[in-house]
Amino acid sequence: MTQADMGHDIAAAPGSASGAPTCSADVTSLVGAHAERLENLYPSVPATVNREEGLMLYRDMTLGRRFEDKCAEMYYRGKMFGFVHLYNGQEAVSTGVIKAMKLQHDWFCSTYRDHVHALSCGVPAREVMSELFGKETGCSKGRGGSMHLFSKEHHLLGGYAFIGEGIPVALGAAFTSRYKRDALGDASSDSVTAAFFGDGTCNIGQFYECLNMAALWKLPILFVVENNKWAIGMDHNRATSDPEIWRKAAAFGMAGEEVDGMDVLAVRAAAQRAVERARAGEGPTLLECLTYRFRGHSLADPDELREEAEKEFWAKRDPIKSLAARLIEQGLATAEELKAIEKEIDAEVADCVEFALAAPEPKPEELTRYIWAED
Amino acid sequence: MAETLLFNALREAIDEEMARDPYVCVMGEDVGQYGGSYKVTKDLYEKYGELRVLDTPIAENAFAGMAVGAAMTGLRPIVEGMNMGFLLLAFNQISNNMGMLRYTSGGNYTIPTVVRGPGGVGRQLGAEHSQRLEAYFHAVPGIKIVAVSTPTNAKGLMKAAIRDNNPVLFFEHVLLYNLSEDIPEGDYICALDQAEVVKVGSDVTILTYSRMRHHCLKAVEQLEKAGVSVELIDLISLKPFDMETISASIRKTHKVIVVEECMKTGGIGAELLALITEHCFDELDARPIRLSSQDIPTPYNGALENLTIIQPHQIVDAAQQLVAGKI
């Protein structure tokens, strides 16, 4: 990518007196700058995986997809309430990053679109589904809900419902890692934190405040931007002056990288590089993953704004189908083996629903429990 | 016993707790090399190093959130608001995350943090630097709120706040840092949830906190000369209120005045009097009195500023009228 490629269809021309959006003449794509960026990505070397790793990634992404499909079904059947934001289409990011890190050692921080991150971290599907049903067996004991999944056991720092507020929390976890190593002299303290957030979040102050502090103190953190182009109904290119988010890293003197967020092996390779830098004490990375959500912003979103052509462009790049094709092509798995995994996942998802439906509600007498550290 | 200035009492508390527990750390603007704008962390940077006494950029929302994440992963941060008013910029992190996260996480995480700094109306600092955020934060669930008023309680409460496993908002007062008195030697703590009976009396109960304690003491001196026996209680804990101590006093005097520096509307006294009405309705012989600051931005002009907050003579007048049955 070059500077000339930036912000094709919406960038205000510097000389334009009106400042009105202008389109460059050579743009013929029907699907916009976001798709074009993906097509023009400088090819990165994808991660090499063996059979076991390949199947693990496939399993995780399939679990994410089918779990979310089940959530939609349960929501429309009236088993689930509130705002529910599904992750379909973005699985390569969660799986690509989290599975490149050490579970129950590194830390993970999510947003309101957090179900699949939780699953990738290893929170059992039963605990996540129970939480969505508001049950006592939920990972947040039914007190959190869809946007507030937490698991200390699995180092999930939480789902944060307001834009950007999770980033400083993730920064704090990265600070603890460095504090233990450098202030307490614990040489084994090398945990890295991954903070996930979207393109819309890259316009809020906390994002910039935290990039600055992370670079300043060389904290072991990955800022993972899931750029799915749409902040609810706001096209990324209408919301930000420079749509190439990864370039903002340069202003803070940190490593920045853009990656095909529909390609789990590309994301995995980028995450591995970033984690290696972080563990070596070389500080943070801003990783922009170009991706797309296949569903609306939430299940309450009628999704009327996005063009069919755009949706089709991204649907063709379904990250799970791509991985399946790759595994088969490389002889790491057969179509039958992948089908068998899908069947296992379907059974796991059915089991978690059954478990969550039968699980107990929180006790009314425990309404005020968990306010204070002592109870 | 040693004569100690209030800011030094706080400093001693932080120093002793940092020596006692390596997970205790300080973060905020100018807390390190500069030693804190009121010198509460003076020399601690040299003693404990740049990570344990962390100078942060001016980014309240982010460093307050960073303290939350640090606390969730094992540290015990003390966050300094250089001026408590600046914490308006950290309101989301203090409310959504410090206060609510333990609950919304179903008990997964604890957030042992102290957020401390100077609040209150100083001397002609202008409206933005003269805020009393204790009232703004009062409704946030899951946080404890204390206000210190003497070197002795400042040290004991700071140590208790640092050791507490919950988030504590710790209000100091910009005009009290140079207050000096003998404080107990060595390690002692004061309970975070207990009011202090400053003076025992029988005619009227005065409830107050922070700097207004000293205005009340001036008023009490005059009232005593006029033959009015005042029971003066420093609330210390603004959340939760120590209703046991407060109710016991009202059962004795049957008359109550609240003296506060925050604004009247939605203030600390508003909540306190609502609770007193619920708990002690039958004990009251007269309607309760609330002496609060005006509901206005604190003006710069010195004379206007004095008119904005309660002065000792107003406390004297109110108490005399109340005891004389004129209210």
Side-chain angles (χ1 to χ4, degrees):
Chain A
M1 285 244 110
T2 65
Q3 288 289 339
D5 294 318
M6 286 162 55
H8 264 313
D9 63 350
I10 283 290
S16 154
S18 69
T22 56
C23 294
S24 49
D26 60 335
V27 176
T28 48
S29 168
L30 291 171
V31 291
H34 190 62
E36 232 174 80
R37 280 185 65 195
L38 187 81
E39 288 190 315
N40 293 329
L41 263 183
Y42 189 79
S44 65
V45 180
T48 322
V49 288
N50 59 29
R51 175 183 151 82
E52 190 190 338
E53 289 161 340
L55 293 181
M56 175 268 291
L57 299 176
Y58 188 77
R59 177 180 295 276
D60 192 53
M61 290 168 76
T62 305
L63 174 62
R65 175 69 57 87
R66 302 210 170 194
F67 185 93
E68 296 290 68
D69 286 343
K70 186 58 82 176
C71 286
E73 182 191 328
M74 290 294 127
Y75 180 85
Y76 293 125
R77 278 174 53 187
K79 299 290 181 193
M80 205 178 278
F81 307 94
F83 296 122
V84 178
H85 309 83
L86 301 185
Y87 195 76
N88 298 45
Q90 303 182 200
E91 294 88 351
V93 183
S94 179
T95 301
V97 173
I98 294 173
K99 297 301 190 190
M101 298 174 74
K102 288 189 202 165
L103 300 189
Q104 296 183 301
H105 175 81
D106 292 325
W107 294 87
F108 308 97
C109 193
S110 184
T111 65
Y112 49 86
R113 200 179 302 284
D114 56 353
H115 311 167
V116 175
H117 294 138
L119 295 170
S120 291
C121 289
V123 182
R126 283 180 165 197
E127 285 188 27
V128 179
M129 194 59 86
S130 299
E131 188 59 34
L132 303 181
F133 285 16
K135 298 298 184 75
E136 183 68 21
T137 49
C139 57
S140 306
K141 300 277 194 290
R143 271 70 164 181
S146 169
M147 298 182 277
H148 301 292
L149 302 177
F150 291 89
S151 174
K152 194 174 186 185
E153 183 189 349
H154 297 95
H155 284 209
L156 175 62
L157 292 163
Y160 291 83
F162 285 7
I163 291 301
E165 63 172 346
I167 306 177
V169 175
L171 192 80
F175 177 73
T176 298
S177 176
R178 208 197 135 195
Y179 184 99
K180 285 182 177 168
R181 194 188 67 204
D182 294 335
L184 304 183
D186 175 2
S188 72
S189 176
D190 69 349
S191 68
V192 177
T193 302
F196 294 89
F197 48 92
D199 44 284
T201 301
C202 298
N203 299 314
I204 205 169
Q206 288 181 97
F207 168 64
Y208 297 96
E209 293 178 5
C210 291
L211 289 189
N212 177 47
M213 288 196 260
L216 189 65
W217 300 319
K218 286 199 178 308
L219 297 183
I221 185 166
L222 271 63
F223 298 101
V224 184
V225 185
E226 301 184 311
N227 183 350
N228 64 19
K229 195 190 173 213
W230 290 92
I232 306 187
M234 185 65 160
D235 185 323
H236 176 57
N237 300 289
R238 292 179 61 224
T240 197
S241 56
D242 179 353
E244 297 205 34
I245 296 163
W246 68 283
R247 291 185 188 276
K248 299 176 202 281
F252 299 91
M254 72 167 72
E257 192 169 341
E258 62 178 339
V259 68
D260 180 350
M262 306 304 272
D263 177 349
V264 68
L265 298 183
V267 175
R268 183 174 168 89
Q272 283 169 334
R273 287 190 287 274
V275 168
E276 196 179 324
R277 279 194 293 272
R279 279 205 221 288
E282 291 168 20
T285 300
L286 177 62
L287 181 62
E288 181 185 6
C289 305
L290 298 174
T291 185
Y292 199 73
R293 55 172 159 73
F294 290 169
R295 292 175 177 272
H297 168 71
S298 74
L299 289 173
D301 172 16
D303 192 20
E304 292 163 342
L305 268 178
R306 304 188 303 171
E307 301 282 349
E308 280 311 313
E310 178 179 299
K311 291 184 197 175
E312 279 165 26
F313 173 90
W314 292 92
K316 278 188 207 142
R317 284 156 182 80
D318 185 318
I320 301 179
K321 287 182 184 158
S322 305
L323 178 64
R326 205 119 136 216
L327 292 175
I328 294 167
E329 183 190 299
Q330 293 180 4
L332 293 174
T334 63
E336 292 69 37
E337 284 174 317
L338 299 183
K339 279 246 158 3
I341 288 177
E342 288 159 21
K343 267 188 101 171
E344 279 172 39
I345 296 293
D346 285 343
E348 187 179 344
V349 171
D351 165 80
C352 80
V353 170
E354 204 176 312
F355 175 85
L357 286 172
E361 300 279 344
K363 293 179 189 151
E365 61 269 30
E366 292 192 346
L367 174 66
T368 59
R369 197 178 165 195
Y370 305 123
I371 283 281
W372 303 112
E374 293 71 25
D375 56 10
Chain B
M1 302 287 272
E3 180 92 356
T4 306
L5 294 159
L6 190 145
F7 78 86
N8 264 329
L10 292 167
R11 189 194 161 284
E12 277 179 24
I14 294 170
D15 186 10
E16 287 169 22
E17 292 305 302
M18 288 186 78
R20 180 177 171 269
D21 181 349
Y23 291 92
V24 175
C25 56
V26 178
M27 50 183 74
E29 294 150 2
D30 274 329
V31 295
Q33 285 194 333
Y34 192 77
S37 47
Y38 293 89
K39 300 301 168 199
V40 170
T41 49
K42 189 173 182 297
D43 299 332
L44 298 183
Y45 179 87
E46 288 73 17
K47 186 169 179 183
Y48 294 105
E50 62 179 10
L51 283 177
R52 293 196 65 194
V53 186
L54 184 74
D55 279 320
T56 66
I58 303 165
E60 286 83 4
N61 199 5
F63 71 69
M66 182 172 133
V68 172
M72 289 167 76
T73 49
L75 304 189
R76 305 182 74 85
I78 303 165
V79 176
E80 176 173 304
M82 180 184 263
N83 175 289
M84 281 309 232
F86 301 163
L87 296 182
L88 286 172
L89 293 156
F91 206 110
N92 180 68
Q93 290 293 349
I94 293 171
S95 173
N96 272 353
N97 297 327
M98 268 181 208
M100 305 201 316
L101 194 147
R102 179 171 169 75
Y103 187 86
T104 50
S105 78
N108 264 286
Y109 290 98
T110 53
I111 322 285
T113 44
V114 180
V115 179
R116 56 152 291 270
V121 177
R123 292 214 171 83
Q124 294 187 261
L125 301 179
E128 292 190 22
H129 282 74
S130 305
Q131 313 219 34
R132 288 114 312 154
L133 293 191
E134 61 272 20
Y136 292 20
F137 283 116
H138 208 237
V140 177
I143 53 174
K144 299 182 177 182
I145 305 178
V146 296
V148 302
S149 52
T150 68
T152 301
N153 65 35
K155 183 172 180 183
L157 288 165
M158 176 56 77
K159 290 171 80 89
I162 294 168
R163 292 182 198 182
D164 200 277
N165 285 329
N166 297 286
V168 180
L169 291 190
F170 194 95
F171 285 91
E172 298 151 19
H173 195 290
V174 67
L175 293 180
L176 296 183
Y177 283 119
N178 287 325
L179 210 61
S180 179
E181 69 175 355
D182 285 339
I183 68 169
E185 299 276 358
D187 187 36
Y188 69 94
I189 61 165
C190 299
L192 291 175
D193 58 356
Q194 271 175 30
E196 183 186 333
V197 181
V198 180
K199 199 198 143 296
V200 175
S202 54
D203 294 334
V204 58
T205 297
I206 297 181
L207 304 172
T208 191
Y209 67 92
S210 189
R211 179 179 178 230
M212 283 293 140
R213 166 179 174 145
H214 303 283
H215 274 25
C216 288
L217 278 169
K218 282 184 195 154
V220 165
E221 212 174 294
Q222 290 182 47
L223 287 163
E224 294 285 317
K225 283 181 195 152
V228 178
S229 171
V230 178
E231 179 136 307
L232 178 61
I233 293 178
D234 184 337
L235 297 167
I236 304 285
S237 177
L238 304 184
K239 189 173 186 178
F241 293 122
D242 176 4
M243 287 312 294
E244 203 174 311
T245 302
I246 294 164
S247 303
S249 182
I250 292 171
R251 281 197 296 273
K252 185 165 67 173
T253 64
H254 308 290
K255 295 181 187 67
V256 64
I257 300 174
V258 175
V259 182
E260 62 184 353
E261 196 174 298
C262 63
M263 289 180 276
K264 192 166 206 167
T265 302
I268 295 295
E271 178 62 24
L272 183 56
L273 286 187
L275 277 171
I276 287 170
T277 310
E278 285 172 356
H279 285 248
C280 312
F281 186 77
D282 294 332
E283 295 290 342
L284 292 171
D285 285 349
R287 71 172 172 87
I289 292 177
R290 186 161 45 132
L291 301 176
S292 323
S293 289
Q294 300 288 320
D295 281 333
I296 58 173
T298 308
Y300 165 70
N301 177 279
L304 294 183
E305 184 181 71
N306 279 336
L307 289 171
T308 305
I309 61 172
I310 291 298
Q311 301 299 331
H313 71 87
Q314 293 169 284
I315 305 168
V316 172
D317 289 350
Q320 281 180 326
Q321 289 198 37
L322 184 61
V323 170
K326 291 178 184 163
I327 288 179

